[in-house]
Amino acid sequence: MRIVLLGSGNVATHLGKALFNAGHEIVQVYSRNILNAISLSEKVEAAGIDSMNSIDQSADVYILALKDDALNTVISGLPELNGLVCHTAGSVSVDVLDKFKKRGVFYPFQTFSKEKEVDFEAIPVLVEAGDEGSLKVLKGLASDISKQVSEVSSLQRGQLHVSAVFACNFVNHMYRLADDLLKDSGLSFDLIKPLIIETAQKVMHLSPGQTQTGPASRNDQKVIEKHLNMLKGQEPYESVYRLITDSIRASAKRG
Amino acid sequence: MRIVLLGSGNVATHLGKALFNAGHEIVQVYSRNILNAISLSEKVEAAGIDSMNSIDQSADVYILALKDDALNTVISGLPELNGLVCHTAGSVSVDVLDKFKKRGVFYPFQTFSKEKEVDFEAIPVLVEAGDEGSLKVLKGLASDISKQVSEVSSLQRGQLHVSAVFACNFVNHMYRLADDLLKDSGLSFDLIKPLIIETAQKVMHLSPGQTQTGPASRNDQKVIEKHLNMLKGQEPYESVYRLITDSIRASAKRG
């Protein structure tokens, strides 16, 4: 496939490299910032451009790997295109691409950092398209780089995104609160790292309902009171401790 | 060392095996339930007993690997002992062992499941003792099975335990909420597993302050509103989403 990549952030970088390594031709990399466009374009043997007027109108696929707020600006600025136009945003409907005949979503469901290489094969890619032909193209592209390809609707993708906020963003914030608490006690975050890895690995084989441990899940009132005394008046720790402890108890009752 | 192990749960099992494999002699395994005592004793070539009167009073070390609520009962039931007596509880002070001349704490800082083998070498062991001689013994034992041995006070251990509630128990509950949300949408928890592992692995090399991503950390009001609309009136999701989002924003401001 001849692909034009719009964007130069984490998703654009990892996705561009994976598609390039799978044998696809990245024709151009567009970014508002020409230096970013050139930097990524060199990695995937493409041309770097910063003007939408220069966009190659004969490409097969246009991938908009942009922040949610830049997405609308770029869509309005694009000319009519015969190729398939897709975005990579978790919480944006496919409908924002209505002005294009062939449209879709190509959503790699992972958190990306620029400095860390990822194994794209292990990343679920969730696709959606406006028509059967486009769906086939996106499924093909996805299968070239990932072993786990699923078709999900815009509604499901939105729900998946909310779930990811809990399982990734909120989880990371729990790590942060633990880190802050340890610092306050003169203890190193290193001490808790084995526990963090083990907690994540457990739910690879068991359901989170089965792996729940701790004072809230066994309703150990003595330990909970001890902890609340230690955290008294210290926000956000006390509020978070109370709410999540109550929520664990409620979940335990639901089973 | 000649060791008597009191308890037959997850901690007793993994700790007993690790000490046995390191070349120590497990003399006896005590449990209120004789079948549990025998089951573990067979794995570490010890005698299984269910009566505190039968306890070998010439052992070097007695390890009380018991639930917090069973701990006091066993302590009261034990005779005076010349050996070193220690417990493995995160949130219990060393002072509960006051009746023994030589006392300490031997706290392996990990979450254990019976069915899952653990690499004890990678588990931090936190020790504390009533006197220098006992401290030396516990540090020696800990070094035989773990590469990461630290001395921490009862106060610090309590704070570490609270941190673990955030980084392990509360994290697991976030997985649970994500699992429930996915089920409601007809989606599989498998989709989110790569994200969970990546989120945990990121904080092995970067601080959680650096790895925070998502709508709250970039203060993306549009996405936050969209999510809150989806979760409206659905508890505990809405309350958790609001509180943790606010807490992430506050952390982002603190830097």
Side-chain angles (χ1 to χ4, degrees), chain A residues 80-98:
Chain A
E80 278 193 43
L81 294 164
N82 291 317
L84 166 56
V85 182
C86 62
H87 72 67
T88 61
S91 62
V92 178
S93 165
V94 67
D95 298 340
V96 299
L97 299 168
D98 265 355

Side-chain angles (χ1 to χ4, degrees), chain B:
Chain B
M1 291 272 169
R2 298 183 70 245
I3 299 170
V4 171
L5 194 57
L6 295 99
S8 57
N10 295 339
V11 176
T13 301
H14 289 290
L15 185 55
K17 282 194 210 166
L19 289 167
F20 175 72
N21 290 333
H24 293 286
E25 183 188 351
I26 313 294
V27 190
Q28 296 174 320
V29 173
Y30 163 86
S31 170
R32 267 178 303 185
N33 180 325
I34 188 66
L35 294 177
N36 292 344
I38 289 171
S39 165
L40 176 53
S41 70
E42 282 171 352
K43 291 174 191 149
V44 295
E45 298 182 9
I49 57 169
D50 66 349
S51 154
M52 277 194 266
N53 295 325
S54 321
I55 279 185
D56 185 328
Q57 300 196 22
S58 69
D60 300 306
V61 180
Y62 300 81
I63 300 177
L64 281 58
L66 302 154
K67 286 196 179 142
D68 291 16
D69 50 356
L71 196 55
N72 285 327
T73 318
V74 170
I75 291 169
S76 336
L78 278 174
E80 278 192 43
L81 294 163
N82 291 316
L84 166 56
V85 182
C86 62
H87 72 67
T88 62
S91 63
V92 178
S93 166
V94 68
D95 297 340
V96 299
L97 299 169
D98 264 355
K99 73 179 253 193
F100 305 105
K101 271 177 306 204
K102 296 188 227 158
R103 55 187 173 273
V105 179
F106 192 97
Y107 178 43
F109 192 49
Q110 182 56 287
T111 169
F112 296 98
S113 316
K114 230 168 204 166
E115 59 285 3
K116 194 164 177 297
E117 287 301 315
V118 294
D119 174 17
F120 229 102
E121 282 215 333
I123 299 175
V125 177
L126 310 174
V127 297
E128 178 182 8
D131 63 285
E132 281 302 315
S134 301
L135 185 63
K136 213 176 146 187
V137 170
L138 291 180
K139 276 188 174 171
L141 273 187
S143 310
D144 288 343
I145 57 174
S146 165
K147 281 183 179 161
Q148 212 180 330
V149 180
S150 308
E151 189 190 349
V152 302
S153 66
S154 286
L155 180 66
Q156 283 180 315
R157 193 158 26 80
Q159 289 160 327
L160 201 56
H161 192 235
V162 178
S163 310
V165 169
F166 284 84
C168 169
N169 306 150
F170 289 0
V171 159
N172 188 83
H173 188 59
M174 296 299 129
Y175 299 156
R176 164 74 190 256
L177 295 182
D179 187 21
D180 289 348
L181 281 167
L182 288 168
K183 270 186 201 135
D184 289 348
S185 311
L187 292 163
S188 164
F189 187 65
D190 287 345
L191 282 174
I192 214 164
K193 286 180 179 175
L195 193 57
I196 284 174
I197 288 293
E198 180 72 8
T199 302
Q201 276 173 351
K202 271 188 180 178
V203 293
M204 297 301 111
H205 311 290
L206 298 164
S207 81
Q210 293 172 295
T211 56
Q212 188 66 55
T213 56
S217 71
R218 58 174 192 269
N219 203 11
D220 188 335
Q221 200 54 43
K222 222 170 127 185
V223 172
I224 293 170
E225 286 304 325
K226 204 183 282 185
H227 288 172
L228 283 172
N229 271 331
M230 288 170 65
L231 301 174
K232 207 168 185 172
Q234 290 186 62
E235 290 302 348
Y237 309 108
E238 188 182 353
S239 300
V240 172
Y241 194 99
R242 280 188 195 281
L243 183 69
I244 308 301
T245 292
D246 287 348
S247 184
I248 291 172
R249 283 166 166 161
S251 289
K253 272 185 202 156
R254 282 203 309 279

